């Protein structure tokens, strides 16, 4: 089994994030995590395997200090050959590690394998000692191979599609889990699933919930539901089947049928937006459910308590003192992923 040659204490780690696409409009949880770690004093870098195709971006991305590197994919044999040359020069022991891994690499897409070599080379040149990937699919596998070739550690945060989609190869995911310094997942259900599926690695699989910057979303006690004040529901997510918006429309319809006064707002866009709107229309809920479309956290409030024209400047639920980031500093000890307490 390929493992990091040196296991470093957290205080000596220098971490780089590995993601399939950066930035991605729907992956606010990654940006929030990076910002939290930077606020804790970590000096991070980001490696993206694919260019973004998004046409809009969250303003929080501008607060990220980590440099972003796009890992190139060779399209000609000569370019691929240069990747080997750079890795051999930059990584002590690369040839031996590559030879040990070659039987496995032969079964992978050639361009993806070369990206892993390029990532290993970049990590070595930039003094990266730990790779952390989000999603156990392409990003996780690439971080795994790159870490093995560079002789460093890696970890992965798993989510949903990378665990439960029909395309997931459970045996291949098991290799990623077994070789990792640790695995993070974002729900109790996932944690139980992974520990049950890979019991030999159970003590290295941890639960870390996706975080929020709570000062941006201050809690207020909800007003009691009454005849004068309807039940108010807010939902945020991409308009794809797994998010369950069709179930939400059906649930709201049942509430209305039972005589419950209810108002709902849904913020998000995606391939099923028109289908969700058709479902709202067919259920006769156009006066009950408002579809807001894509929203950034600061562009408009999705709270049913506010009007559709609500803005950060006018919304009493969102008005707050501007946040000043703390000065950058090196912590005495930093957790290898996230800044949340693990279970």
């Amino acid at each position: 089994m390929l493992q990091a040659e040196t296991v470093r204490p957290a205080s000596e780690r220098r971490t780089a994030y590995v993601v399939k696409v950066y930035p991605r409009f729907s992956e606010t949880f990654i940006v929030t995590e990076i910002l939290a770690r930077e606020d804790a004093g970590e000096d991070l870098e980001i490696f993206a395997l694919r260019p973004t195709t998004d046409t809009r971006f969250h303003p929080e991305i501008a607060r990220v200090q980590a440099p972003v590197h796009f890992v190139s994919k060779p399209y000609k044999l000569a370019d691929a050959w240069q990747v080997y040359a750079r890795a051999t020069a930059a990584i002590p022991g690369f040839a031996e590690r590559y030879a040990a891994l070659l039987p496995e690499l032969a079964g992978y897409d050639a361009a993806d394998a070369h990206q892993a070599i390029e990532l290993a080379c970049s990590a070595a040149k930039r003094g990266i000692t730990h790779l952390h990937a989000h999603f156990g699919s392409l990003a996780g596998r690439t971080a795994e191979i790159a870490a093995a070739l560079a002789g460093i550690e890696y970890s992965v945060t798993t989510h949903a599609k990378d665990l439960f989609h029909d395309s997931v190869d459970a045996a291949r995911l098991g290799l990623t889990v077994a070789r990792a310094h640790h695995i993070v997942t974002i729900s109790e259900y996932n944690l139980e699933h992974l520990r049950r599926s890979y019991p030999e690695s159970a003590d290295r699989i941890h639960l870390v919930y996706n975080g929020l910057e709570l000062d941006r979303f201050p809690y207020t006690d909800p007003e009691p539901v009454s005849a004068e004040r309807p039940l108010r529901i807010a939902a945020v997510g991409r308009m794809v089947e797994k998010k369950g918006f069709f179930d939400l429309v059906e649930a709201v319809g049942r509430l209305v049928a039972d005589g419950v006064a209810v108002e709902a707002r849904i913020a998000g866009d995606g391939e099923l937006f028109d289908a969700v709107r058709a479902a709202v229309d067919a259920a006769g809920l156009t006066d009950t459910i408002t579809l807001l479309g894509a929203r950034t956290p600061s562009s408009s409030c999705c709270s049913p308590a506010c009007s559709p024209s609500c803005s950060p400047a006018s919304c009493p639920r969102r008005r707050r003192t501007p946040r000043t980031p703390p000065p950058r500093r090196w912590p005495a000890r930093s957790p290898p992923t996230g800044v949340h307490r693990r279970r």
Side-chain angles (χ1 to χ4, degrees), residues 17 26-37 60 63 134 157-159 184-187 207-217 297 323 337-341:
Y17 273 71
S26 63
E27 294 180 353
T28 54
F29 49 89
I30 295 178
V31 175
T32 300
E33 181 179 305
I34 290 171
L35 287 172
R37 294 185 67 166
E60 286 70 32
R63 292 168 45 205
H134 267 273
T157 294
T158 60
H159 293 268
V184 172
T185 196
I186 52 84
S187 72
L207 171 62
V208 179
Y209 294 113
N210 288 335
L212 292 172
E213 293 182 303
L214 295 181
D215 60 338
R216 294 175 54 220
F217 302 96
R323 180 172 179 272
T337 66
V339 294
H340 309 281
R341 184 177 291 114

Side-chain angles (χ1 to χ4, degrees), residues 33 132-136 155-159 162-163 180 182-187 190-191 194 204-210 336-338 342:
E33 181 179 305
H132 182 70
H134 267 273
F135 293 92
S155 53
V156 180
T157 294
T158 60
H159 293 268
D162 52 337
L163 298 180
H182 63 276
I183 296 292
V184 172
T185 196
I186 52 84
S187 72
N190 288 7
L191 182 70
L194 285 168
R204 293 182 293 103
I205 304 173
H206 308 279
L207 171 62
V208 179
Y209 294 113
N210 288 335
T337 66
R342 290 216 187 103

Side-chain angles (χ1 to χ4, degrees), residues 104-127:
E104 185 177 328
L105 291 178
Y108 297 158
D109 177 84
D112 291 346
H114 281 94
Q115 272 197 305
I117 299 172
E118 187 73 59
L119 175 59
C121 185
S122 296
K125 287 183 176 180
R126 306 186 75 83

Side-chain angles (χ1 to χ4, degrees), residues 216-223 229-236 262-268 288-293 295-312 314-319:
R216 294 175 54 220
F217 302 96
Y219 174 80
T220 56
D221 289 326
E223 299 176 20
R229 185 193 181 280
L231 174 65
R232 288 166 172 161
I233 300 170
V236 182
V262 58
E263 296 175 2
R265 290 190 177 189
I266 302 175
T288 303
I289 299 177
T290 302
L291 301 182
L292 299 172
R295 290 289 189 272
T296 66
S298 59
S299 66
S300 182
C301 182
C302 72
S303 168
C306 301
S307 68
S309 60
C310 168
S311 70
S314 64
C315 178
R317 302 170 66 90
R318 297 174 59 86
R319 196 178 298 128

Side-chain angles (χ1 to χ4, degrees), residues 27-326:
E27 294 180 353
T28 54
F29 49 89
I30 295 178
V31 175
T32 300
E33 181 179 305
I34 290 171
L35 287 172
R37 294 185 67 166
E38 289 188 329
D39 281 356
E42 291 195 66
D43 185 18
L44 304 173
E45 303 205 19
I46 301 169
F47 289 92
L49 305 177
R50 304 287 189 270
T52 185
T53 57
D54 288 341
T55 57
R56 53 184 180 270
F57 303 97
H58 292 288
E60 286 70 32
I61 290 173
R63 292 168 45 205
V64 174
Q65 300 180 52
V68 181
H69 313 283
F70 294 97
V71 184
S72 61
K73 293 180 67 172
Y75 291 97
K76 297 187 297 184
L77 179 59
D79 294 336
W81 199 249
Q82 287 300 315
V83 174
Y84 289 103
R86 290 194 297 273
T88 302
I91 305 172
F94 169 80
E96 293 79 7
R97 295 193 200 99
Y98 178 78
L101 201 58
L102 184 57
E104 185 177 328
L105 291 178
Y108 297 158
D109 177 84
D112 291 346
H114 281 94
Q115 272 197 305
I117 299 172
E118 187 73 59
L119 175 59
C121 185
S122 296
K125 287 183 176 180
R126 306 186 75 83
I128 301 299
T129 63
H130 189 102
L131 298 175
H132 182 70
H134 267 273
F135 293 92
S137 44
L138 176 64
R141 288 194 304 271
T142 303
E144 172 193 343
I145 296 168
L149 293 173
I152 61 177
E153 303 167 357
Y154 77 94
S155 53
V156 180
T157 294
T158 60
H159 293 268
K161 185 177 180 180
D162 52 337
L163 298 180
F164 303 113
H165 194 273
D166 290 343
S167 63
V168 173
D169 183 334
R172 182 63 192 82
L173 179 60
L175 283 178
T176 300
V177 172
R179 293 170 173 171
H181 177 272
H182 63 276
I183 296 292
V184 172
T185 196
I186 52 84
S187 72
E188 288 274 8
Y189 186 90
N190 288 7
L191 182 70
E192 294 173 4
H193 168 77
L194 285 168
R195 287 180 171 175
R196 182 173 60 251
S197 300
Y198 309 107
E200 67 283 354
S201 303
D203 61 336
R204 293 182 293 103
I205 304 173
H206 308 279
L207 171 62
V208 179
Y209 294 113
N210 288 335
L212 292 172
E213 293 182 303
L214 295 181
D215 60 338
R216 294 175 54 220
F217 302 96
Y219 174 80
T220 56
D221 289 326
E223 299 176 20
V225 176
S226 65
E228 292 74 28
R229 185 193 181 280
L231 174 65
R232 288 166 172 161
I233 300 170
V236 182
R238 284 188 300 128
M239 292 290 182
V240 294
E241 185 175 3
K242 66 183 179 181
K243 301 299 183 183
F245 289 120
F246 294 107
D247 294 330
L248 176 59
V249 172
E250 181 181 352
V252 171
R254 291 185 180 184
L255 288 170
V256 172
D258 289 342
V260 178
V262 58
E263 296 175 2
R265 290 190 177 189
I266 302 175
D269 200 356
E271 60 193 51
L272 295 181
F273 183 88
D274 290 340
V276 173
R277 181 166 55 190
V280 172
D281 293 343
L285 297 172
T286 53
D287 293 332
T288 303
I289 299 177
T290 302
L291 301 182
L292 299 172
R295 290 289 189 272
T296 66
S298 59
S299 66
S300 182
C301 182
C302 72
S303 168
C306 301
S307 68
S309 60
C310 168
S311 70
S314 64
C315 178
R317 302 170 66 90
R318 297 174 59 86
R319 196 178 298 128
R320 63 184 180 87
T321 303
R323 180 172 179 272
T324 302

